[in-house]
Amino acid sequence: MTAGTNGAHALMRTLVGAGVDVCFTNPGTSEMHFVAALDDVPEMRAILGLFEGVVTGAADGYGRMAGRPAATLLHLGPGLANGIANLHNARRARTPVVNVIGDHAIDHRRFDAPLQSDIESLARPVSCWYRSTETLAALAGDTADAVAAACSPPAGVATLVVPADLSWADGAQVAPPAAPRPPATVPADVVELVAKALTGGEPCVLLLGATATRVPGLVAGSRVATATGARLMAETFPAVLERGAEVPPVERLAYLGEMVADQLRGVRHLVLADATTPVSFFAYPGRPGLLVPEGCSVHVLAAPGDDAVGALEALAETVGAPADAWARQEPARPERPTGALNPISAAAAIGALLPEGAVVSDESNTAGIFLPGATAGAPRHDWLCLTGGAIGQGMPVATGAAVACPDRRVLSLEADGSAMYTLQSLWTQAREGLDVTTVVFNNGSYAILELELSRVGAQGAGPLAQAMLELDNPSLDFVSLARGMGVEASRATTAEEFTDQLERALATPGPSLVEAMVGRGLGL
Ligand SMILES: Cc1ncc(C[n+]2csc(CCOP(=O)(O)OP(=O)(O)O)c2C)c(N)n1
Ligand SMILES: [Mg+2]
């Protein structure tokens, strides 16, 4: 233990000592001592977000790409509440996040002052660990515990609540880092049983999720698939999917249950490697919620918190897969598109131009359905998905990913409706000079909900219902919105314009935005 000064300093120094040196924040009065401590702890990079959904989503994007947590700094219950949807997405992504919330001074709580609320009830559902520090002596140790909890497999959001009187009190100590729990090794008999199922001559799918969708997991999975004839698949919305030329290709489970039924028809053994059992995103009248086909056995090779990559490698050895017998994606790019701008031609342009090493934050929704095909053979890149289904994730995640990966181009692919949730991310990107290229697919609607309206069997939808799904009265002008936050922007109405503008944006340092007027249809 080394002597600190006040509690806020001790917390900051403990975070930095544990490797947490980025803090996304939107602070208030109860966090002013943390703000004041920043000048004395310059190792901590503090980044301002103008809404808490930006703060929490950026921490998610940072944690996914850095592999270690950022801290947030949020203002009491209401600040946390504004950030919860993206903490929900981070929880689903199993991203390590140290979620610090300033609270009223302990002695002030009894007054029920205006910002007083039940922080614990708000935080628990999105947190893998929760603690409210009640003494100065405990503050630094609790901070170290929070970092370890966030990083312990399966990683998650560790929430630490700090009363204001502890952050201003003098005499706090800095704590050394605490060790995270290691992942659990999958027992050999589990691997043996799975190997038996895969080599029994029946149709099998090996489904990769969470920690298994990066190159080591993909390579081990591909070895198993090559040796046994199993099909290699990945969950619908991986937190990070590494893909592109020379990487083992993997088919993702579809979003729509009917399409998953087609993908899994006839499968007799479904092996889960850090993936969950496939279920429909929503319930629909008369349709199954569980998407495992009849007569198919589910085998858990690795559960959350297990060493899934180690288990896949052990499985590859057990089935006798040679170390270099894995599938490699052929390099290929689409031609630069011409003619109408629609989801097909926009995807072709992105496939033609995607830079080597790009980090793609994908919240393109319906306009993005042709992207996986168009980018499959592009140079190697990472694909970050909407893990928890709560829209408003994409632009903050892109922001945090750019902070984590300053040498890589981030491509933020946004549907227009989703963009409007956390559009303030652009301001943070401009202020921090982040290399984020944003494409907004302007289709003037909540297009997916038009589809869902008919799929759920809702009766009697007329013009009033339709109006709830339309965004074109007034229409959104993303060029002006971006410029208003200091981000250069242009609008494309043809495939040629889009390709040229995207090429220029990708080559320009700092953030820029291209508004793609893709229209209502898919371009089929
Ligand atoms: C936090 C949150 N609020 C609301 C929804 C419901 N929702 C799902 S998709 C959607 C509209 C998406 O529209 P857009 O982003 O423009 O994509 P498009 O469907 O047009 O491709 C909404 C409101 C949600 N998923 N998450
Ligand atoms: Mg839309």
Side-chain angles (χ1 to χ4, degrees):
M1 292 268 187
T2 52
T5 49
N6 66 22
H9 279 81
L11 180 142
M12 289 276 183
R13 291 218 172 276
T14 301
L15 286 176
V16 169
V20 180
D21 56 9
V22 171
C23 176
F24 297 98
T25 183
N26 188 276
T29 307
S30 43
E31 295 77 42
M32 280 301 115
H33 286 84
F34 294 110
V35 173
L38 288 172
D39 286 287
D40 285 336
V41 190
E43 303 91 330
M44 177 64 83
R45 179 175 177 190
I47 297 177
L48 184 60
L50 300 185
F51 175 70
E52 289 85 350
V54 175
V55 169
T56 54
D60 183 6
Y62 178 92
R64 290 192 202 187
M65 293 313 297
R68 60 196 167 97
T72 64
L73 181 58
L74 303 174
H75 187 48
L76 298 111
L80 167 64
N82 278 344
I84 282 180
N86 275 336
L87 290 174
H88 161 86
N89 288 322
R91 178 177 84 88
R92 289 287 182 191
R94 299 218 232 112
T95 308
V97 175
V98 179
N99 186 38
V100 182
I101 301 165
D103 193 5
H104 283 314
I106 292 169
D107 184 51
H108 198 65
R109 289 179 183 159
R110 65 200 156 106
F111 300 128
D112 194 28
L115 277 156
Q116 177 89 17
S117 68
D118 183 353
I119 297 177
E120 181 170 358
S121 291
L122 292 168
R124 284 274 183 201
V126 291
S127 304
C128 66
W129 180 98
Y130 174 90
R131 195 175 292 168
S132 178
T133 294
E134 296 300 312
T135 65
L136 186 61
L139 178 58
D142 287 350
T143 305
D145 288 351
V147 178
C151 298
S152 292
V157 178
T159 296
L160 178 67
V161 177
V162 184
D165 52 331
L166 302 189
S167 53
W168 73 54
D170 280 331
Q173 304 284 311
V174 177
R181 188 177 56 238
T185 303
V186 172
D189 57 329
V190 172
V191 176
E192 289 285 346
L193 278 175
V194 170
K196 202 176 262 175
L198 290 177
T199 51
E202 293 189 303
C204 299
V205 162
L206 175 55
L207 184 65
L208 307 180
T211 56
T213 58
R214 304 184 192 224
V215 164
L218 295 168
V219 166
S222 178
R223 285 173 63 198
V224 172
T226 307
T228 64
R231 252 162 74 214
L232 189 65
M233 299 190 71
E235 62 190 348
T236 309
F237 290 138
V240 179
L241 176 63
E242 292 185 356
R243 63 196 295 272
E246 308 301 337
V247 175
V250 61
E251 176 189 351
R252 275 162 58 187
L253 277 179
Y255 167 74
L256 297 178
E258 306 86 289
M259 293 170 76
V260 176
D262 286 343
Q263 288 175 303
L264 297 183
R265 184 157 297 122
V267 171
R268 305 291 297 183
H269 298 278
L270 178 62
V271 175
L272 305 178
D274 211 358
T276 51
T277 304
V279 294
S280 175
F281 265 73
F282 296 100
Y284 299 95
R287 297 210 190 136
L290 189 65
L291 300 179
V292 178
E294 287 238 344
C296 175
S297 313
V298 178
H299 310 264
V300 179
L301 173 68
D306 289 343
D307 175 7
V309 172
L312 285 164
E313 285 167 352
L315 181 61
E317 294 302 318
T318 306
V319 300
D324 62 351
W326 46 275
R328 288 154 177 86
Q329 172 68 48
E330 289 277 319
R333 285 189 187 266
E335 297 284 313
R336 290 170 79 104
T338 56
L341 182 57
N342 52 44
I344 293 180
S345 57
I350 291 164
L353 298 173
L354 192 68
E356 167 107 53
V359 180
V360 181
S361 175
D362 180 9
E363 194 170 47
S364 53
N365 301 350
T366 59
I369 64 169
F370 302 105
L371 285 166
T375 56
R380 186 170 157 173
H381 57 274
D382 290 11
W383 204 274
L384 282 52
C385 300
L386 181 56
T387 46
I391 59 175
Q393 174 198 269
M395 298 174 91
V397 160
T399 307
V403 174
C405 305
D407 302 329
R408 299 172 66 176
R409 175 61 56 166
V410 175
L411 182 59
S412 178
L413 302 176
E414 273 298 311
D416 51 356
S418 299
M420 290 306 292
Y421 282 65
T422 41
L423 194 71
Q424 307 92 324
S425 305
L426 293 174
W427 182 87
T428 301
Q429 291 168 15
R431 187 159 124 131
E432 300 293 325
L434 302 175
D435 289 337
V436 181
T437 304
T438 300
V439 173
V440 174
F441 296 94
N442 190 335
N443 62 9
S445 67
Y446 286 161
I448 184 81
L449 296 186
E450 291 179 8
L451 173 72
E452 295 285 19
L453 187 65
S454 55
R455 279 166 48 80
V456 295
Q459 302 292 317
L464 296 179
Q466 188 60 35
M468 293 303 105
L469 313 180
E470 287 173 354
L471 307 180
D472 56 358
N473 180 25
S475 58
L476 290 157
D477 174 354
F478 284 94
V479 173
S480 298
L481 289 165
R483 288 188 181 149
M485 285 182 275
V487 170
E488 200 33 65
S490 60
R491 178 175 295 120
T493 55
T494 66
E496 289 88 344
E497 283 174 13
F498 179 64
T499 311
D500 290 348
Q501 291 176 19
L502 180 62
E503 188 168 43
R504 204 170 329 122
L506 288 169
T508 307
S512 46
L513 180 145
V514 179
E515 180 176 20
M517 307 304 290
V518 287
R520 290 287 174 100
L522 291 178
L524 289 170

